[in-house]
Amino acid sequence: MARGVYIHIPFCHQICNYCDFNKVFFKNQPVDEYIEALGIEMKLWTENKEAFSHIETIFLGGGTPTSLSPTQLSRLLTLIKTYIPMEHVKEFTSEANPDELTKEKLEVLFNGGVNRLSLGVQAFQPELLKKLGRTHSNDDVFETIEEAKKVGFKNISIDLMYGLPGQTMDEWKETLKIAFDLNLPHYSAYSLIVESKTIFYNLMNKGKLSLPGEDQEADMYEELMQQMETHGWHQYEISNFAKEGHSSIHNRIYWDNDEYAGFGAGAHGYVNGTRYSNHAPLKKYISTLEAGERPILKTHEVTQSEKIEEELFLGLRKTAGISKSHFKEKFGCTIESVYSEKLQMLVSAGLISNDEEAVKLTKKGRFVGNEVFEEFLL
């Protein structure tokens, strides 16, 4: 049974140099046709009442959802409320660019049921923002947050990045200080990963991308964790920090290895034990739905051993780790019966803790999380 819904909006007015998500420039794109196609896809999926009877979260991602006009946003939200049962929805998030959120768009989102904003801020230094391909200013961030609060938004998060080209520790400390001064309920902070098919990847291959070394990046992560703790934000996942009661419910669905539907071009979902991905090209996505068919490119029925693997490498991202009682209830066996030697080895290395209630990363383990996760691939 799906707990959440992800809806992909692939349009952007500006393409960021580090982004590898499915996206296109907004201009001359079939935006209105795409929104109507989303409505068709939602209708087709949610006809399965049993699988979609208890949706807890909805997440608008991209691309950039706020690249849409107020009229287009309103139409999208109307379609969502038409086809997705809203009675159990606790959290309705929209990603946004600070320089695109007008008062009118904020009002459309809020009145349409969105109760959480996730702003792509990344840094507070103009030179770093320029390197990233971001077009907003610090004033855009401050004014948008203030306007969002006036409209009625209380749950606002911002994304930050470290390990950026040419970024110094002093700049990272300055970014954190400014972020804390905003006193928001939630922060996400990610190290830069240079993905293929991005501008940064091409620059790196040409030797034109100067990145901080691994030691400096680790120091930045240490600074992040220390400062968040000092200022009262609880780390509940490797890259996420929140005040009490404000952790992201939607992202917890992923880390809990629970099911969710993905709607839109290139979107991924996990429903009824099957992972699937949609066609990414807009024309293919739209034409398939106009023909009355689901736009699925490929599916994979997840095996029991794969579910156990995913439970470990997703669940260990949470600072609470993996509940042993929940694991046994879910899979009918103990973690030790599957991973006894791996657990002993990682405990000895100081990378995980293993007590009667849970298996979790230690602080040392958070620095090399991906290496730990790989140990649990069967």
Side-chain angles (χ1 to χ4, degrees), residues 72-263:
Q72 290 165 338
L73 275 173
S74 180
R75 177 58 179 162
L76 173 63
L77 294 169
T78 296
L79 288 169
I80 291 170
K81 288 188 287 186
T82 298
Y83 296 116
I84 296 174
M86 303 294 291
E87 56 266 29
H88 300 294
V89 173
K90 303 172 186 174
E91 180 185 274
F92 191 165
T93 302
S94 178
E95 291 183 335
N97 280 345
D99 52 344
E100 292 178 349
L101 264 183
T102 62
K103 180 181 179 182
E104 186 178 5
K105 289 184 183 181
L106 283 165
E107 289 174 340
V108 168
L109 290 169
F110 188 75
N111 293 332
V114 175
N115 58 18
R116 183 175 183 270
L117 295 176
S118 178
L119 303 180
V121 173
Q122 319 313 357
F124 288 104
Q125 294 75 32
E127 187 60 33
L128 285 178
L129 291 171
K130 184 178 180 181
K131 288 180 181 178
L132 292 171
R134 305 293 290 173
T135 56
H136 68 264
S137 67
N138 288 355
D139 284 343
D140 289 327
V141 176
F142 307 147
E143 290 167 8
T144 295
I145 290 173
E146 191 62 32
E147 192 64 54
K149 290 179 179 179
K150 289 180 182 177
V151 168
F153 285 100
K154 295 181 174 63
N155 197 353
I156 301 172
S157 175
I158 62 174
D159 287 352
L160 304 173
M161 295 180 73
Y162 60 95
L164 302 176
Q167 186 182 34
T168 66
M169 178 61 85
D170 284 343
E171 287 173 328
W172 179 230
K173 288 180 178 179
E174 180 184 48
T175 285
L176 291 175
K177 181 182 183 305
I178 295 172
F180 294 140
D181 287 344
L182 293 171
N183 195 28
L184 300 175
H186 190 281
Y187 296 99
S188 297
Y190 306 98
S191 64
L192 174 67
I193 298 175
V194 180
E195 304 282 4
S196 61
K197 300 180 182 178
T198 63
I199 294 173
F200 274 175
Y201 183 79
N202 294 332
L203 289 173
M204 185 175 69
N205 285 342
K206 295 176 182 177
K208 296 181 178 180
L209 191 69
S210 176
L211 298 173
E214 289 184 6
D215 289 344
Q216 186 176 346
E217 186 176 311
D219 289 343
M220 289 179 171
Y221 186 50
E222 173 72 37
E223 183 72 17
L224 168 69
M225 290 191 291
Q226 180 180 327
Q227 290 294 332
M228 285 288 177
E229 183 178 350
T230 299
H231 287 82
W233 278 269
H234 170 65
Q235 183 175 16
Y236 68 98
E237 190 267 348
I238 285 178
S239 302
N240 286 272
F241 306 80
K243 292 288 190 181
E244 184 68 30
H246 287 89
S247 61
S248 169
I249 302 172
H250 186 83
N251 286 341
R252 283 293 297 266
I253 291 173
Y254 301 146
W255 303 322
D256 288 343
N257 198 22
D258 284 337
E259 295 193 347
Y260 60 94
F263 302 135

Side-chain angles (χ1 to χ4, degrees), residues 166 240 262 298 311 313 370-371 377:
N240 286 272
K298 57 185 177 182
E311 192 80 11
F313 66 70
N370 288 335
E371 295 175 26
L377 299 178

Side-chain angles (χ1 to χ4, degrees), residues 22 25 55 66 116 146 226 244 308 339 365 368 370 377:
N22 187 39
F25 280 110
I55 298 299
T66 52
R116 183 175 183 270
E146 191 62 32
Q226 180 180 327
E244 184 68 30
I308 290 174
Y339 291 112
V368 289
N370 288 335
L377 299 178

Side-chain angles (χ1 to χ4, degrees), residues 18 29 63 67 71 88 91 103 108 140 160 171 177 241-242 270 282 284 302 306 310 322 330 355:
Y18 54 88
Q29 296 295 337
S67 65
T71 300
H88 300 294
E91 180 185 274
K103 180 181 179 182
V108 168
D140 289 327
L160 304 173
E171 287 173 328
K177 181 182 183 305
F241 306 80
Y270 181 29
L282 297 191
K284 179 66 175 178
V302 184
E306 288 171 334
E310 292 172 353
I322 299 157
K330 191 171 185 177
D355 57 32

